[in-house]
Amino acid sequence: MRIDLIKYQALGNDYLVLDLPGPLDEVVALLPVLCDRHRGLGSDGLLAFDPQAMTVRIFNPDRSEAQKSGNGLRIAAAHAVLEHGAGERFELRTAGGANPVRVLSRHDPEIVCEVDIGRPSFRAADLPATFEGEPDRVQLRTEAGSVEAMLVSVGNPHCVVFDQPVTRERCLELGPHLERHPAFPERTNVQLFEVLDRGRVKVEIWERGAGYTLASGTSASAVAAACMRAGLVDEQVTVQMPGGDLKIRREKSGNLVQSGPARRVYRATVDLADFARS
């Protein structure tokens, strides 16, 4: 069976996009190989996009489905504009809810847009996590050491870690243990951060189901939310990730809006039988 896929990247966080209707179950079954950067096309996951309903389903390389992805939403928005003629304003729906989109600029093959991520929650039950209420900080013990973290949901779960070295090496050490920590029955995304000033934060990210990643829109939003709650930054902040910068602002409603680019990389025609034999 031959299918068409388009690859996009947003600040180095890359996804394959499959238009629906299509053989979604067959493609998801092959994601560990398709997403492999040496044996497949290479990506951080798959976006299944329905141009009629304007819905997006997000799948990780390990076949698990994510509720939301900020970069994934901006990629889906770019795909909707470049491939399906979407206008300046529209709405994308994910398992995590509806997300308004506004296109800021278009320079084919790159679209810069802003996406309303929604209002963050600090309720442990919303992640879910095995704590009560809305804890300010929690203590988590791992084989890589004990950490202090803030729990944040922006439609998907995040563990924002305080006072750790913000390096790739430390992220690789802590990430796997925190993602699968018993406190998070559905696993979690993990971020290490350093506040540079009231308007800039440096971040390293371990993504649930994908591992170390260059950028994550929901992770950037979760870090911004945690820093705002802790009084460390202002209402607008630039989150600096290895893949590039994302701007986050908090509206009067409490919703977080992120703005940044997404770019089409290539088109591919794939014979699924080739990967089924990998």
Side-chain angles (χ1 to χ4, degrees), residues 219-249:
S219 288
S221 297
V223 169
C227 290
M228 289 174 187
R229 186 189 190 203
L232 301 174
V233 299
D234 297 329
E235 303 259 310
Q236 298 189 53
V237 62
T238 297
V239 179
Q240 299 179 353
M241 298 170 283
D245 297 351
L246 195 62
K247 295 181 179 179
I248 310 287
R249 73 173 187 273

mmCIF file of all heavy atoms in Angstrom, residues 219-249:
data_model
loop_
_atom_site.group_PDB
_atom_site.id
_atom_site.type_symbol
_atom_site.label_atom_id
_atom_site.label_comp_id
_atom_site.label_asym_id
_atom_site.label_seq_id
_atom_site.Cartn_x
_atom_site.Cartn_y
_atom_site.Cartn_z
ATOM 1 N N SER A 219 5.423 22.120 26.179
ATOM 2 C CA SER A 219 6.441 22.214 27.237
ATOM 3 C C SER A 219 6.816 23.669 27.489
ATOM 4 O O SER A 219 6.958 24.093 28.647
ATOM 5 C CB SER A 219 7.685 21.410 26.854
ATOM 6 O OG SER A 219 7.444 20.028 26.921
ATOM 7 N N ALA A 220 6.992 24.433 26.414
ATOM 8 C CA ALA A 220 7.294 25.856 26.567
ATOM 9 C C ALA A 220 6.172 26.559 27.318
ATOM 10 O O ALA A 220 6.420 27.401 28.196
ATOM 11 C CB ALA A 220 7.506 26.494 25.192
ATOM 12 N N SER A 221 4.934 26.211 26.994
ATOM 13 C CA SER A 221 3.787 26.824 27.666
ATOM 14 C C SER A 221 3.746 26.432 29.137
ATOM 15 O O SER A 221 3.452 27.260 30.011
ATOM 16 C CB SER A 221 2.493 26.396 26.971
ATOM 17 O OG SER A 221 2.463 26.853 25.633
ATOM 18 N N ALA A 222 4.034 25.160 29.434
ATOM 19 C CA ALA A 222 4.020 24.700 30.819
ATOM 20 C C ALA A 222 5.088 25.399 31.649
ATOM 21 O O ALA A 222 4.847 25.792 32.800
ATOM 22 C CB ALA A 222 4.211 23.190 30.860
ATOM 23 N N VAL A 223 6.290 25.566 31.081
ATOM 24 C CA VAL A 223 7.363 26.269 31.789
ATOM 25 C C VAL A 223 6.975 27.728 32.019
ATOM 26 O O VAL A 223 7.166 28.272 33.116
ATOM 27 C CB VAL A 223 8.683 26.164 31.022
ATOM 28 C CG1 VAL A 223 9.727 27.099 31.612
ATOM 29 C CG2 VAL A 223 9.201 24.733 31.039
ATOM 30 N N ALA A 224 6.417 28.370 30.997
ATOM 31 C CA ALA A 224 5.978 29.759 31.156
ATOM 32 C C ALA A 224 4.929 29.860 32.259
ATOM 33 O O ALA A 224 4.982 30.763 33.108
ATOM 34 C CB ALA A 224 5.416 30.274 29.832
ATOM 35 N N ALA A 225 3.984 28.923 32.278
ATOM 36 C CA ALA A 225 2.935 28.930 33.305
ATOM 37 C C ALA A 225 3.531 28.761 34.695
ATOM 38 O O ALA A 225 3.133 29.457 35.644
ATOM 39 C CB ALA A 225 1.928 27.826 33.008
ATOM 40 N N ALA A 226 4.472 27.827 34.836
ATOM 41 C CA ALA A 226 5.101 27.587 36.137
ATOM 42 C C ALA A 226 5.877 28.815 36.607
ATOM 43 O O ALA A 226 5.805 29.202 37.779
ATOM 44 C CB ALA A 226 6.020 26.373 36.050
ATOM 45 N N CYS A 227 6.610 29.420 35.697
ATOM 46 C CA CYS A 227 7.411 30.599 36.056
ATOM 47 C C CYS A 227 6.513 31.791 36.399
ATOM 48 O O CYS A 227 6.824 32.573 37.310
ATOM 49 C CB CYS A 227 8.359 30.956 34.922
ATOM 50 S SG CYS A 227 9.701 29.771 34.688
ATOM 51 N N MET A 228 5.406 31.947 35.684
ATOM 52 C CA MET A 228 4.460 33.021 36.001
ATOM 53 C C MET A 228 3.835 32.787 37.369
ATOM 54 O O MET A 228 3.707 33.709 38.182
ATOM 55 C CB MET A 228 3.385 33.108 34.913
ATOM 56 C CG MET A 228 3.881 33.642 33.582
ATOM 57 S SD MET A 228 2.605 33.572 32.278
ATOM 58 C CE MET A 228 3.571 34.054 30.825
ATOM 59 N N ARG A 229 3.447 31.553 37.636
ATOM 60 C CA ARG A 229 2.850 31.229 38.938
ATOM 61 C C ARG A 229 3.821 31.498 40.076
ATOM 62 O O ARG A 229 3.431 31.964 41.152
ATOM 63 C CB ARG A 229 2.412 29.766 38.957
ATOM 64 C CG ARG A 229 1.642 29.366 40.211
ATOM 65 C CD ARG A 229 1.437 27.874 40.276
ATOM 66 N NE ARG A 229 0.522 27.487 41.329
ATOM 67 C CZ ARG A 229 0.467 26.297 41.898
ATOM 68 N NH1 ARG A 229 1.314 25.340 41.494
ATOM 69 N NH2 ARG A 229 -0.393 26.021 42.845
ATOM 70 N N ALA A 230 5.114 31.216 39.828
ATOM 71 C CA ALA A 230 6.142 31.419 40.856
ATOM 72 C C ALA A 230 6.613 32.875 40.930
ATOM 73 O O ALA A 230 7.450 33.206 41.781
ATOM 74 C CB ALA A 230 7.331 30.500 40.585
ATOM 75 N N GLY A 231 6.098 33.741 40.047
ATOM 76 C CA GLY A 231 6.486 35.147 40.057
ATOM 77 C C GLY A 231 7.865 35.423 39.513
ATOM 78 O O GLY A 231 8.468 36.460 39.822
ATOM 79 N N LEU A 232 8.379 34.522 38.684
ATOM 80 C CA LEU A 232 9.746 34.649 38.177
ATOM 81 C C LEU A 232 9.835 35.424 36.869
ATOM 82 O O LEU A 232 10.919 35.895 36.513
ATOM 83 C CB LEU A 232 10.353 33.250 37.979
ATOM 84 C CG LEU A 232 10.417 32.361 39.220
ATOM 85 C CD1 LEU A 232 10.912 30.966 38.843
ATOM 86 C CD2 LEU A 232 11.324 32.990 40.268
ATOM 87 N N VAL A 233 8.725 35.519 36.138
ATOM 88 C CA VAL A 233 8.725 36.195 34.836
ATOM 89 C C VAL A 233 7.460 37.040 34.714
ATOM 90 O O VAL A 233 6.526 36.925 35.508
ATOM 91 C CB VAL A 233 8.778 35.186 33.661
ATOM 92 C CG1 VAL A 233 10.042 34.347 33.717
ATOM 93 C CG2 VAL A 233 7.544 34.300 33.648
ATOM 94 N N ASP A 234 7.444 37.873 33.664
ATOM 95 C CA ASP A 234 6.288 38.716 33.388
ATOM 96 C C ASP A 234 5.240 37.957 32.573
ATOM 97 O O ASP A 234 5.386 36.760 32.323
ATOM 98 C CB ASP A 234 6.740 39.983 32.657
ATOM 99 C CG ASP A 234 7.679 40.834 33.506
ATOM 100 O OD1 ASP A 234 7.524 40.814 34.749
ATOM 101 O OD2 ASP A 234 8.566 41.496 32.931
ATOM 102 N N GLU A 235 4.221 38.664 32.110
ATOM 103 C CA GLU A 235 3.092 38.040 31.418
ATOM 104 C C GLU A 235 3.432 37.651 29.975
ATOM 105 O O GLU A 235 2.655 36.949 29.333
ATOM 106 C CB GLU A 235 1.893 38.996 31.404
ATOM 107 C CG GLU A 235 1.475 39.430 32.804
ATOM 108 C CD GLU A 235 0.265 38.682 33.318
ATOM 109 O OE1 GLU A 235 -0.724 38.611 32.595
ATOM 110 O OE2 GLU A 235 0.328 38.164 34.453
ATOM 111 N N GLN A 236 4.552 38.135 29.468
ATOM 112 C CA GLN A 236 5.042 37.720 28.158
ATOM 113 C C GLN A 236 6.476 37.246 28.316
ATOM 114 O O GLN A 236 7.287 37.913 28.953
ATOM 115 C CB GLN A 236 4.985 38.871 27.145
ATOM 116 C CG GLN A 236 3.571 39.370 26.882
ATOM 117 C CD GLN A 236 3.519 40.353 25.726
ATOM 118 O OE1 GLN A 236 3.996 40.057 24.629
ATOM 119 N NE2 GLN A 236 2.935 41.515 25.957
ATOM 120 N N VAL A 237 6.774 36.083 27.731
ATOM 121 C CA VAL A 237 8.101 35.503 27.914
ATOM 122 C C VAL A 237 8.529 34.787 26.642
ATOM 123 O O VAL A 237 7.693 34.213 25.930
ATOM 124 C CB VAL A 237 8.106 34.531 29.126
ATOM 125 C CG1 VAL A 237 7.162 33.367 28.906
ATOM 126 C CG2 VAL A 237 9.496 34.043 29.454
ATOM 127 N N THR A 238 9.818 34.851 26.353
ATOM 128 C CA THR A 238 10.398 34.084 25.258
ATOM 129 C C THR A 238 11.065 32.850 25.845
ATOM 130 O O THR A 238 11.929 32.961 26.723
ATOM 131 C CB THR A 238 11.438 34.916 24.488
ATOM 132 O OG1 THR A 238 10.790 36.040 23.899
ATOM 133 C CG2 THR A 238 12.081 34.086 23.383
ATOM 134 N N VAL A 239 10.628 31.686 25.388
ATOM 135 C CA VAL A 239 11.191 30.426 25.862
ATOM 136 C C VAL A 239 12.238 29.962 24.859
ATOM 137 O O VAL A 239 11.929 29.716 23.688
ATOM 138 C CB VAL A 239 10.089 29.364 26.041
ATOM 139 C CG1 VAL A 239 10.699 28.046 26.510
ATOM 140 C CG2 VAL A 239 9.043 29.855 27.032
ATOM 141 N N GLN A 240 13.479 29.872 25.316
ATOM 142 C CA GLN A 240 14.601 29.502 24.465
ATOM 143 C C GLN A 240 14.864 28.009 24.592
ATOM 144 O O GLN A 240 15.223 27.522 25.659
ATOM 145 C CB GLN A 240 15.852 30.303 24.847
ATOM 146 C CG GLN A 240 15.681 31.799 24.697
ATOM 147 C CD GLN A 240 16.922 32.576 25.103
ATOM 148 O OE1 GLN A 240 17.886 32.024 25.630
ATOM 149 N NE2 GLN A 240 16.917 33.880 24.855
ATOM 150 N N MET A 241 14.673 27.296 23.480
ATOM 151 C CA MET A 241 14.894 25.852 23.423
ATOM 152 C C MET A 241 16.025 25.561 22.443
ATOM 153 O O MET A 241 16.359 26.409 21.613
ATOM 154 C CB MET A 241 13.599 25.161 22.998
ATOM 155 C CG MET A 241 12.445 25.377 23.963
ATOM 156 S SD MET A 241 10.831 24.803 23.338
ATOM 157 C CE MET A 241 10.424 26.127 22.190
ATOM 158 N N PRO A 242 16.628 24.393 22.503
ATOM 159 C CA PRO A 242 17.712 24.094 21.560
ATOM 160 C C PRO A 242 17.324 24.276 20.097
ATOM 161 O O PRO A 242 18.160 24.656 19.270
ATOM 162 C CB PRO A 242 18.037 22.629 21.869
ATOM 163 C CG PRO A 242 17.678 22.467 23.303
ATOM 164 C CD PRO A 242 16.465 23.321 23.504
ATOM 165 N N GLY A 243 16.045 24.058 19.768
ATOM 166 C CA GLY A 243 15.593 24.210 18.391
ATOM 167 C C GLY A 243 15.225 25.617 17.996
ATOM 168 O O GLY A 243 15.038 25.906 16.804
ATOM 169 N N GLY A 244 15.100 26.528 18.965
ATOM 170 C CA GLY A 244 14.723 27.904 18.656
ATOM 171 C C GLY A 244 13.801 28.482 19.718
ATOM 172 O O GLY A 244 13.492 27.838 20.726
ATOM 173 N N ASP A 245 13.354 29.711 19.482
ATOM 174 C CA ASP A 245 12.592 30.458 20.478
ATOM 175 C C ASP A 245 11.100 30.437 20.178
ATOM 176 O O ASP A 245 10.677 30.498 19.017
ATOM 177 C CB ASP A 245 13.051 31.921 20.509
ATOM 178 C CG ASP A 245 14.497 32.073 20.940
ATOM 179 O OD1 ASP A 245 15.100 31.068 21.379
ATOM 180 O OD2 ASP A 245 15.024 33.192 20.828
ATOM 181 N N LEU A 246 10.307 30.384 21.248
ATOM 182 C CA LEU A 246 8.859 30.455 21.143
ATOM 183 C C LEU A 246 8.376 31.540 22.098
ATOM 184 O O LEU A 246 8.813 31.607 23.252
ATOM 185 C CB LEU A 246 8.240 29.104 21.517
ATOM 186 C CG LEU A 246 6.781 28.866 21.145
ATOM 187 C CD1 LEU A 246 6.586 28.925 19.639
ATOM 188 C CD2 LEU A 246 6.327 27.511 21.672
ATOM 189 N N LYS A 247 7.475 32.387 21.610
ATOM 190 C CA LYS A 247 6.943 33.468 22.436
ATOM 191 C C LYS A 247 5.627 33.024 23.064
ATOM 192 O O LYS A 247 4.759 32.485 22.384
ATOM 193 C CB LYS A 247 6.736 34.729 21.597
ATOM 194 C CG LYS A 247 8.034 35.318 21.070
ATOM 195 C CD LYS A 247 7.786 36.578 20.261
ATOM 196 C CE LYS A 247 9.102 37.166 19.753
ATOM 197 N NZ LYS A 247 8.878 38.393 18.938
ATOM 198 N N ILE A 248 5.505 33.253 24.372
ATOM 199 C CA ILE A 248 4.305 32.884 25.115
ATOM 200 C C ILE A 248 3.788 34.132 25.836
ATOM 201 O O ILE A 248 4.566 34.863 26.458
ATOM 202 C CB ILE A 248 4.597 31.805 26.186
ATOM 203 C CG1 ILE A 248 5.382 30.622 25.595
ATOM 204 C CG2 ILE A 248 3.301 31.359 26.842
ATOM 205 C CD1 ILE A 248 4.618 29.718 24.709
ATOM 206 N N ARG A 249 2.475 34.358 25.740
ATOM 207 C CA ARG A 249 1.876 35.436 26.523
ATOM 208 C C ARG A 249 0.625 34.918 27.234
ATOM 209 O O ARG A 249 -0.018 33.982 26.771
ATOM 210 C CB ARG A 249 1.527 36.639 25.647
ATOM 211 C CG ARG A 249 0.334 36.450 24.731
ATOM 212 C CD ARG A 249 -0.046 37.756 24.029
ATOM 213 N NE ARG A 249 -1.269 37.642 23.275
ATOM 214 C CZ ARG A 249 -1.364 37.232 22.021
ATOM 215 N NH1 ARG A 249 -0.272 36.906 21.353
ATOM 216 N NH2 ARG A 249 -2.546 37.162 21.427
#
